[in-house]
Amino acid sequence: MEYISTRDENRRLCAAQAIAAGLSPEGGLFLPEELPSFSPEEIQEMMDMDYQERAALVLSRFLPDFSREELAEYAGKAYASPKFPHSPAPVTSLKSGPHILELFHGPTCAFKDFALQMLPFLLTASLKKTGVQETVVILTATSGDTGKAALEGFADVEGTKIGVFYPDGGTSEMQRLQMVTQSGENVAVFAAAGNFDDAQNGVKKIFTDGTFAEELKQQGFLLSSANSINWGRLVPQVAYYFSAYCDLCKQDHLTFGEKLNVTVPTGNFGNILAAYLAKQCGLPLGKLICASNRNRVLTDFLSTGVYDRNREFYMTTSPSMDILISSNLERLLYLSGGQPLVQQCMEALQQQGKYEVEPEILAQLQETFACGCADDYETAQEIRWTYERDGYLCDPHTAVALHVYEQYTQQTGDSAPVLIASTASPFKFAGTVLEALGHEASPDPFQALEQLSHIAGQPVPEALVSLADRPVRFNQVITPANMKAAVTEWLSK
Ligand SMILES: *Cc1c(COP(=O)(O)O)cnc(C)c1O
C-alpha cells in the first residue's frame, strides 16, 4: 500500500515515511492511495477481541510496513493500565436512545489520548524504519488539550523529547496545572507571553529556521511536531468506530449489518474523518452528522458548499471546537474530487480565505454527511436535559453533538440508531457543567470538581484529582522572541 500527498499524487511513500514526514513538503496531507476493505466476516471476528486487539488489527490494514505483532505491542502499551485503567472506549446507551462512545477514559480525560498515546510508538518506529538516528524533539504550541495529551504520550519515550508552549494566562487553570505538573525526564513546558497565535507563530519560526535545524542536527536532534494532520494521529481513531460497532452488536443494540449513524463534535475534522474512513472501509455506518458550536464554518460548508473563514471567531464553552480552519477537510476534498479539487480549493482559501465546491460534489457529500450547530445556550440546555432525562452527565462538546443529533432527527425523521462520540469528561469542564445544571461553580478548580462529584454522585477522575498534590515543575515565562533560546538551553541540559 502506497501513500500519496493530497497536493502531489506523484509523491509516493510507504506508511512509515508518511508518518515520519508528517506533512508533505508542498503542504499536502498524506492518504493511502487505496483504502483497505474489511469483509463482514472480518468485522464479526473483531467482536470477540478486546480493544487492544481490535486496534492492532485495524492499524495493521492501514500500515503494512508494521507487523501485527509490533502493532499489538504498541496497542497493549498505549491502551492499557496505567494509561487507560479501565476499558478504553466503552459504549453507554441512554434511556432516550443514543449510544454514547466514551472516549475520555485516558490520562488527560479527552479523546486526543487515543491518537497521542499511539503516535509516539508509530513515530519512533517510523523514524527507525526510515533510518533516522537523531533524537526527535517534538515542539508544540497548545491552547489547552493537545499540549497535555502530547506530553502524556511522549513523556519518557526513549529517543524523544517534548517541549510545549502555552499562552500565559490563555488556558483554563485546570489545563495549566495538567501541563506544569507533567512528569518525565524528557519534557519541558513554557508559558509564552501573548496569545495562542503568538506561541504558534513562535513555534513555526523555529521550524522554518534552517540554520537552527542544522545546529540541532549536529547535536544529534531532529525537530518534529505532534500536529493533528500527521497520519499517525488520525489512523488510530478509525479503530474506535469498529470497536463501538462490535460492542453494540454484542449488547444486542444492533443487528450485524444494520446501519449506525454517528454524530461527532467537530473542530479540525479529524475525528469525523476517521468515522468516514471506517465507513469507506466497509463498516456499516449510515449518516455522519458533523456537529459544530457557534463557530459554524463546517455547518455552512456542508449545507451550502461554501467554505468561508472570513468571519468572526467566537470563544465558546466548547473551546476545543473553536476553530475556523479545519485542516483535515483537505483529506475529504481529496477523497471526493482528487488532486484538482484540492488544488482549486486550497488556492482560493489562500487567496480569498474561502472556496466553493460544485453542486455535484456538494450533493455527493450530503449523501454521507449531515450537519448542524449549537450555541452556548443550547449547549447548556442540552447538558441539563440529558442529565434530567437520562441521568447522564455529559461535557459541553458532547452536548453540542447531542443537540445537533436531536435537530437532525426532528428535521429528517431518520430513526436509525446513533452513536455519539463523547470527546471529553464532564469533569474537565466542571464549571460549565455545574452552571448548566443550575449551580454556582466555585472559582477554585478543585472545589468545582468536588461540587460536581457531590451533585452527580460520581467520583472525580483520578487523573484530575491527583493534580492537586503534584508539584509544579515548570514556571518559566518567556517572550516569543526568546523561544528559540529557551529550546537551546533546555536541550543543552
Ligand atoms: C480536539 C477536540 C474536538 C475536535 O476534534 P477534531 O478531530 O479536531 O474535529 C472535540 N472535542 C474535544 C474535547 C476535543 O479535545
Side-chain angles (χ1 to χ4, degrees):
M1 178 193 282
E2 284 191 311
Y3 279 71
I4 41 131
S5 160
T6 51
R7 299 190 194 181
D8 182 1
E9 286 160 344
N10 296 321
R11 204 177 280 280
R12 288 168 178 277
L13 293 88
C14 67
Q17 287 170 321
I19 293 171
L23 187 70
S24 189
E26 82 295 334
L29 312 187
F30 294 115
L31 268 178
E33 189 181 24
E34 218 174 302
L35 293 176
S37 98
F38 290 77
S39 68
E41 293 70 36
E42 279 177 294
I43 300 172
Q44 265 167 325
E45 276 168 26
M46 270 190 236
M47 281 196 219
D48 297 322
M49 300 179 183
D50 62 17
Y51 187 81
Q52 291 88 330
E53 291 167 319
R54 290 171 183 170
L57 173 62
V58 173
L59 284 169
S60 72
R61 301 292 304 278
F62 280 96
L63 309 173
D65 28 351
F66 291 78
S67 71
R68 183 89 176 264
E69 292 68 38
E70 248 177 310
L71 293 165
E73 184 200 324
Y74 303 160
K77 287 180 183 157
Y79 302 131
S81 192
K83 298 298 193 171
F84 284 84
H86 313 289
S87 170
V91 182
T92 302
S93 299
L94 300 187
K95 286 197 269 302
S96 60
H99 307 290
I100 312 278
L101 171 57
E102 294 185 348
L103 298 170
F104 52 76
H105 296 290
T108 78
C109 302
F111 90 102
K112 291 191 173 66
D113 287 330
F114 280 87
L116 282 160
Q117 284 301 317
M118 179 54 79
L119 180 67
F121 296 108
L122 296 179
L123 184 64
T124 48
S126 296
L127 292 166
K128 247 191 216 133
K129 285 177 202 286
T130 54
V132 174
Q133 310 278 325
E134 288 89 355
T135 297
V136 209
V137 180
I138 311 280
L139 293 182
T140 298
T142 181
S143 56
D145 282 346
T146 305
K148 174 61 180 177
L151 285 165
E152 269 297 324
F154 282 95
D156 288 332
V157 172
E158 213 178 303
T160 74
K161 285 178 175 281
I162 167 120
V164 168
F165 297 88
Y166 69 91
D168 191 25
T171 65
S172 78
E173 179 60 6
M174 192 57 84
Q175 287 174 321
R176 188 186 72 84
L177 285 169
Q178 278 189 311
M179 291 188 277
V180 297
T181 60
Q182 177 66 47
S183 58
E185 291 303 309
N186 63 339
V187 310
V189 178
F190 305 95
N195 60 25
F196 170 67
D197 286 330
D198 299 325
Q200 172 99 313
N201 285 335
V203 170
K204 274 195 193 145
K205 260 195 202 140
I206 295 179
F207 275 113
T208 48
D209 184 336
T211 324
F212 188 51
E214 198 44 50
E215 271 169 44
L216 288 182
K217 201 172 161 136
Q218 299 198 343
Q219 296 163 32
F221 295 116
L222 175 77
L223 287 179
S224 180
S225 100
N227 203 297
S228 73
I229 51 191
N230 190 311
W231 181 250
R233 259 193 75 173
L234 189 65
V235 70
Q237 300 180 6
V238 179
Y240 50 68
Y241 290 106
F242 278 87
S243 178
Y245 193 92
C246 290
D247 284 344
L248 284 170
C249 288
K250 273 181 93 165
Q251 296 161 9
D252 286 331
H253 287 297
L254 277 184
T255 317
F256 189 84
E258 192 181 353
K259 288 268 192 286
L260 174 68
N261 288 342
V262 178
T263 308
V264 185
T266 298
N268 214 8
F269 211 76
N271 200 359
I272 195 166
L273 187 75
Y276 180 74
L277 293 172
K279 182 177 158 100
Q280 298 304 102
C281 292
L283 190 67
L285 299 182
K287 277 274 183 212
L288 308 180
I289 305 159
C290 174
S292 302
N293 63 24
R294 198 177 170 200
N295 296 296
R296 48 175 291 170
V297 63
L298 288 167
T299 311
D300 292 342
F301 172 63
L302 289 169
S303 38
T304 66
V306 178
Y307 190 98
D308 188 355
R309 60 168 284 207
N310 305 305
R311 61 177 72 209
E312 197 170 333
F313 174 83
Y314 299 106
M315 308 255 284
T316 72
T317 53
S318 45
S320 304
M321 297 154 69
D322 290 346
I323 190 162
L324 291 182
I325 301 193
S326 298
S327 324
N328 271 304
L329 196 57
E330 178 167 339
R331 287 193 165 105
L332 180 65
L333 291 173
Y334 183 86
L335 294 167
S336 313
Q339 193 185 326
L341 179 65
V342 170
Q343 207 108 34
Q344 180 196 325
C345 293
M346 291 305 129
E347 269 167 29
L349 188 67
Q350 183 86 36
Q351 282 157 17
Q352 296 139 39
K354 65 182 213 175
Y355 59 79
E356 179 167 9
V357 298
E358 299 293 327
E360 305 81 74
I361 299 274
L362 178 62
Q364 184 193 325
L365 290 175
Q366 287 174 340
E367 267 173 40
T368 304
F369 290 93
C371 61
C373 56
D375 63 21
D376 282 356
Y377 176 75
E378 290 164 323
T379 304
Q381 240 181 356
E382 191 66 44
I383 292 173
R384 184 171 189 149
W385 284 343
T386 304
Y387 188 63
E388 288 174 357
R389 186 183 55 206
D390 295 294
Y392 187 80
L393 201 61
C394 72
D395 100 290
H397 303 78
T398 310
V400 168
L402 279 162
H403 179 85
V404 168
Y405 162 69
E406 281 158 28
Q407 259 177 359
Y408 167 79
T409 50
Q410 273 163 22
Q411 283 162 6
T412 60
D414 183 351
S415 60
V418 70
L419 184 74
I420 308 277
S422 178
T423 49
S425 160
F427 286 95
K428 204 160 181 187
F429 300 92
T432 302
V433 174
L434 279 166
E435 272 156 30
L437 297 178
H439 299 273
E440 198 175 322
S442 164
D444 177 281
F446 293 103
Q447 270 175 21
L449 288 179
E450 288 309 322
Q451 270 180 293
L452 188 59
S453 168
H454 184 74
I455 289 162
Q458 283 179 30
V460 181
E462 184 53 31
L464 297 179
V465 142
S466 61
L467 290 177
D469 307 321
R470 287 169 74 160
V472 170
R473 296 183 61 205
F474 304 99
N475 49 21
Q476 196 180 352
V477 184
I478 56 174
T479 62
N482 280 334
M483 280 167 66
K484 198 165 96 177
V487 171
T488 308
E489 195 200 327
W490 164 51
L491 292 178
S492 67
K493 273 183 200 162

